[in-house]
């Protein structure tokens, strides 16, 4: 009997449903080939539901989602909903409540993709950021005093726990060893200023490093890292960092790999339910036009397969995407692809069933 994976799908807002549809098309195409099945179950969380019902996320949402093997997410963010409500109420809440303590974001320049960096080719840009996903400034600690008065005080604290930091660092070392590319793990921090938080990170990092003699531990300040991403991206293999720095440097990472049209990520709970998503937003202005690039969502689907243990199938999705970027798509930008959203999905699905 073939294996069946139960996947919760949150298409979400804007172009989310369109890109998720193409992702599912590709996943179904490869699953047939590799002899497993995917059962998709839709959840209508997002802006429309919130505007209709006033409820951001039902109380039993995480309990329900916990029953699935993985979650496949389109995009969250609606032009008629004040910024922050859906992002915090859905995306961040799910990451926290499902304890998806790793945000895994590959930065890889595929063949044929226009890179904004002069002289950089696919051989120069191939690294992955392991972003801590449940702590730091995102934990929501802090408060406000005398709001709206000239004496207003706003405090937003960064929470770093030994346990939270160490499990993230350990994941990064394991990942780096398994990846076996340059066997170099860079801690991205700010030890010269954040002398409490990154002192903890640095100590934990070098202590754990002793358990991985095959991995070269390396350190860079976050500001310097943004410089090296542009000047020498080939220096990086795996980077581990806190939630906020990870958020910022992965947007820069997305740009050097060709933009939001291709950038995918996974919110991972190695012991629980993980959630895969294109990093880009809901792009409401492209909604319903069949012009948005579905490749990021398709790549996120590939990452999901790898995570589920279907590594060959996941690699095939990536190879098919590389064929499309290398030979078929004009640009990764919405409306300039020379292909429609559905046409791109059809093409990846077709190649994924043929490619070796
Ligand atoms: C991301 C996004 C989110 C974040 C927002 C939408 C809350 O920017 O996934 O990187 O800051 O983590
Ligand atoms: Mn971000």
């Amino acid at each position: 009997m073939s294996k069946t994976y139960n996947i919760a799908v949150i298409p979400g807002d804007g172009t989310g449903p369109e890109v998720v549809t193409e992702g599912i098309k590709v996943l179904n195409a490869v699953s047939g080939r590799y002899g497993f099945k995917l059962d998709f179950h839709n959840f209508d969380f997002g802006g429309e539901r919130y505007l209709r019902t006033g409820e951001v996320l039902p109380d039993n949402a995480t309990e329900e989602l916990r029953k699935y093997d993985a979650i496949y997410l389109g995009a969250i963010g609606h032009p008629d909903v004040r910024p922050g409500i859906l992002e915090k109420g859905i995306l961040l809440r799910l990451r926290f409540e499902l304890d998806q303590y790793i945000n895994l974001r590959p930065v890889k320049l595929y063949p044929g993709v226009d890179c904004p960096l002069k002289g950089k080719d696919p051989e120069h840009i191939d690294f992955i950021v392991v972003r801590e996903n449940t702590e730091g400034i995102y934990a929501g600690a802090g408060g406000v005093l005398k709001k709206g008065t000239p004496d207003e005080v706003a405090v937003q604290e960064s929470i770093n726990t030994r346990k939270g930091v160490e499990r993230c660092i350990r994941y990064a070392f394991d990942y780096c060893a398994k990846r076996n590319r340059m066997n170099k793990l860079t801690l991205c921090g700010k030890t010269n200023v954040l002398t409490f938080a990154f002192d903890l990170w640095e100590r934990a990092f070098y202590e754990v490093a002793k358990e991985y003699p095959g991995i070269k531990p390396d350190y860079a300040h976050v500001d310097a890292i943004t410089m090296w991403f542009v000047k020498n991206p080939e220096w990086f293999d795996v980077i581990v960092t806190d939630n906020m720095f990870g958020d910022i440097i992965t947007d820069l990472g997305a740009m050097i790999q060709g933009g939001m049209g291709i950038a995918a990520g996974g919110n991972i709970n190695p012991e629980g339910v993980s959630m895969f998503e294109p990093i880009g937003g809901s792009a409401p202005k492209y909604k319903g036009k069949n012009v948005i690039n579905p490749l990021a969502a398709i790549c996120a689907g590939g990452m999901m397969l790898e995570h589920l243990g279907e590594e060959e199938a996941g690699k095939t999705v990536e190879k098919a995407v590389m064929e499309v970027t290398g030979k078929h798509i004009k640009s990764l930008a919405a409306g300039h692809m020379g292909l429609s959203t559905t046409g791109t999905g059809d093409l990846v699905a077709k190649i994924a069933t043929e490619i070796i």
Side-chain angles (χ1 to χ4, degrees):
M1 234 183 66
S2 75
K3 179 141 198 186
T4 300
Y5 299 99
N6 294 308
I7 310 294
V9 183
I10 307 175
D13 302 315
T15 52
E18 288 169 68
V19 297
V20 152
T21 300
E22 299 317 307
I24 290 174
K25 192 185 276 176
V26 173
L27 295 177
N28 279 332
V30 287
S31 69
R33 180 172 169 184
Y34 288 93
F36 61 91
K37 284 207 189 89
L38 295 160
D39 247 1
F40 295 99
H41 188 282
N42 259 43
F43 289 82
D44 67 350
F45 309 146
E48 296 295 337
R49 181 182 198 278
Y50 171 65
L51 291 170
R52 203 174 61 238
T53 66
E55 187 178 60
V56 183
L57 204 60
D59 286 337
N60 67 349
T62 42
E63 202 184 305
E64 277 303 305
L65 291 169
R66 245 186 265 279
K67 296 176 186 158
Y68 290 83
D69 294 308
I71 305 166
Y72 190 39
L73 174 80
I76 296 293
H78 194 289
D80 300 336
V81 181
R82 197 156 46 83
I85 294 183
L86 302 170
E87 292 86 340
K88 274 184 111 168
I90 301 177
L91 190 60
L92 297 183
R93 193 169 152 204
L94 291 180
R95 287 177 183 171
F96 279 55
E97 288 189 5
L98 294 169
D99 202 21
Q100 294 164 339
Y101 60 89
I102 300 296
N103 195 326
L104 200 58
R105 298 190 160 180
V107 177
K108 187 166 173 179
L109 180 64
Y110 288 140
V113 172
D114 228 0
C115 175
L117 306 181
K118 195 170 72 186
K120 299 298 177 190
D121 303 309
E123 75 205 71
H124 302 110
I125 304 179
D126 184 359
F127 60 88
I128 184 151
V129 177
V130 176
R131 165 185 174 189
E132 201 292 322
N133 212 29
T134 54
E135 300 194 340
I137 317 187
Y138 278 73
V144 64
L145 277 176
K146 303 183 184 177
K147 188 168 181 173
T149 75
D151 297 323
E152 179 164 346
V153 181
V155 177
Q156 196 98 41
E157 286 159 326
S158 172
I159 305 294
N160 299 264
T161 68
R162 173 72 199 210
K163 185 181 148 201
V165 168
E166 190 173 321
R167 66 182 181 175
C168 175
I169 287 172
R170 216 169 265 287
Y171 182 92
F173 273 104
D174 281 336
Y175 194 93
C176 190
K178 182 160 179 252
R179 174 173 155 98
N180 196 19
R181 188 168 174 266
M182 290 159 68
N183 288 298
K184 173 178 171 185
L185 177 63
T186 305
L187 170 65
C188 163
K190 189 73 186 169
T191 51
N192 53 348
V193 176
L194 305 181
T195 51
F196 309 127
F198 276 97
D199 176 57
L200 168 54
W201 274 86
E202 196 179 33
R203 274 182 290 117
F205 182 70
Y206 286 105
E207 278 168 34
V208 175
K210 289 191 198 124
E211 297 170 34
Y212 296 85
I215 307 285
K216 185 180 178 301
D218 172 51
Y219 174 83
H221 291 320
V222 62
D223 47 349
I225 270 218
T226 61
M227 193 167 78
W228 305 130
F229 272 18
V230 173
K231 199 166 167 285
N232 297 96
E234 64 277 6
W235 285 353
F236 298 104
D237 178 13
V238 181
I239 297 170
V240 64
T241 191
D242 83 350
N243 210 340
M244 186 80 259
F245 291 165
D247 177 48
I248 297 167
I249 66 171
T250 54
D251 265 22
L252 179 56
M255 284 304 121
I256 66 171
Q257 73 180 124
M260 288 300 179
I262 195 80
N267 302 276
I268 315 273
N269 176 343
E271 297 89 34
V273 183
S274 301
M275 177 166 77
F276 297 83
E277 54 171 338
I279 295 183
S282 57
K285 72 173 177 180
Y286 296 120
K287 182 187 158 99
K289 300 207 166 105
N290 200 17
V291 297
I292 194 75
N293 188 344
L295 290 180
I298 293 170
C299 290
M303 288 179 75
M304 178 167 76
L305 293 185
E306 283 199 39
H307 178 79
L308 290 169
E310 298 295 342
E311 302 212 349
E312 282 302 308
K315 290 250 161 13
T316 297
V317 171
E318 187 182 30
K319 277 192 211 152
V321 167
M322 286 163 80
E323 273 289 302
V324 169
T325 61
K327 297 189 187 143
H328 303 280
I329 206 164
K330 280 212 208 104
S331 154
L332 296 187
H336 300 275
M337 303 189 294
L339 289 166
S340 62
T341 306
T342 48
T344 308
D346 288 342
L347 194 57
V348 180
K350 180 168 174 286
I351 295 171
T353 52
E354 294 164 352
I355 204 169
I356 309 153

